[in-house]
Amino acid sequence: MFYFKVDNEVVEKYQVNYNKEEIEKLRENIIHNCSHIVHREYYNHYPPHFTDKSLIFNFKSMFAFEKEYFEETKDIYLYTFDEYEPPSLIKLVDRLLKEDATVIDEILNYKVEDKVSFNEEINKVNQEYLNANNVFERQQRLKELENLLNQKNLNKNQQSTYIYYQKLLSLIKFELIDTLSLEYIQRVEDFYSKDTKVLSKALKKN
């Protein structure tokens, strides 16, 4: 894979090298250590379909009740599971593994993502609970607080992407292959743009 970098008045051409297996291992570590974990649950008569099962864990199903449809009665189950929501760095890694050279600039300019903080939202909902005017409102705020506290506990081991991003950079090697001046490239572009059809015929003829 090649990467082109403009440096002052020169275009540099680099060969990009990396060990695919090492990048894939790093990808797994990023998912398991930097993802935002969300607990999900829902009722249905058939299990959920997952596009990426590697992001799902703690999957459980439990019979809940029976539900009558037009011509039959179906068992309804409660499905619960936790799901990794990976940081945006994973999308960049995936594009790199697919040999997408356009991702290099995005990787080099990536902004580190910090772990998710629930404290601000917890304090906000707690204040709303204290200011609630009726029992129903307080019950709603209590449910929100319980959910936020569970989410905070679920994500207590989440890490920033910083050290994993640094590791990714260390695994990508750039080898300078050649350089050309911007002036020369512009001359070549101007040369070809005069009449590419006539030029193409002349090249075929010779």
Side-chain angles (χ1 to χ4, degrees), residues 54-113:
S54 67
L55 300 179
I56 306 300
F57 63 105
N58 293 335
F59 181 86
K60 295 177 183 178
S61 64
M62 181 177 64
F63 173 77
F65 54 85
E66 291 183 343
K67 184 175 181 180
E68 290 187 10
Y69 287 85
F70 295 106
E71 298 178 353
E72 61 181 326
T73 300
K74 292 187 177 181
D75 293 339
I76 303 300
Y77 289 84
L78 169 62
Y79 297 97
T80 64
F81 56 92
D82 296 320
E83 182 177 6
Y84 289 119
E85 291 187 346
S88 63
L89 183 59
I90 287 296
K91 291 183 179 179
L92 302 183
V93 171
D94 286 345
R95 286 169 58 192
L96 178 66
L97 290 171
K98 291 178 181 177
E99 298 285 317
D100 179 0
T102 63
V103 78
I104 298 298
D105 274 327
E106 293 179 58
I107 289 176
L108 295 176
N109 292 288
Y110 166 78
K111 291 184 179 179
V112 170
E113 297 163 80

Side-chain angles (χ1 to χ4, degrees), residues 140-155:
Q140 293 298 107
R141 298 294 85 80
L142 275 175
K143 286 181 181 178
E144 287 183 48
L145 275 173
E146 183 181 3
N147 180 59
L148 284 168
L149 289 170
N150 287 336
Q151 289 291 312
K152 181 179 180 180
N153 184 59
L154 200 59
N155 288 275

